[in-house]
Amino acid sequence: RTEAEVYSDFFFFFPELEKLYKNGKPIEEILSPDQLRELFTESIDSINPGLKYLEKAVEKVYKEKNYYDALLLINKGLSIEPKLVLERYYMIRATCYAKLEFIEEALQDLEKAKELIINTYGLSDMDDFYKNEIHNIDINMSSLKNNGNMKT
């Protein structure tokens, strides 16, 4: 992606910055990296208030291996922001369920993640990244059904 494409979503919420940027002023001259990070974080939090819970859940799973707390955080985040239906969070929640030996719930979340990918990207236009995600979901579903484990 080009720099302009990366900033396009950000500029949607801050059109005054976009005007300066389009007049040839680099973002670094408009805002310091700390100001940009703070502004971006604030805008994301206001758009998707549930996202902060989901981000904390990722830490709980991958850094702390605390699956129960991660599960609570994901559920809280999705309850606050039910429209935030990112397949990644269903996949992470499936991992939590599997680690806590809730196999049926893990399978349901993997199926939901797969459905979200297909509905969002379509099978015919899907790029290799999402084809690989579906392949991994299928492998994990098969593994869960056969031996109760996921390849995380």
Side-chain angles (χ1 to χ4, degrees), residues 87-88 91 110-124 126-142:
E87 70 279 348
R88 174 69 41 214
M91 292 167 69
L110 288 171
E111 190 62 45
K112 179 70 174 173
K114 184 176 176 178
E115 177 185 309
L116 286 169
I117 292 170
I118 292 169
N119 290 342
T120 302
Y121 303 102
L123 286 173
S124 60
M126 191 178 298
D127 66 25
D128 289 339
F129 175 81
Y130 288 104
K131 287 178 184 174
N132 190 49
E133 287 287 284
I134 286 180
H135 176 72
N136 289 334
I137 289 170
D138 288 339
I139 289 171
N140 279 317
M141 289 178 76
S142 177

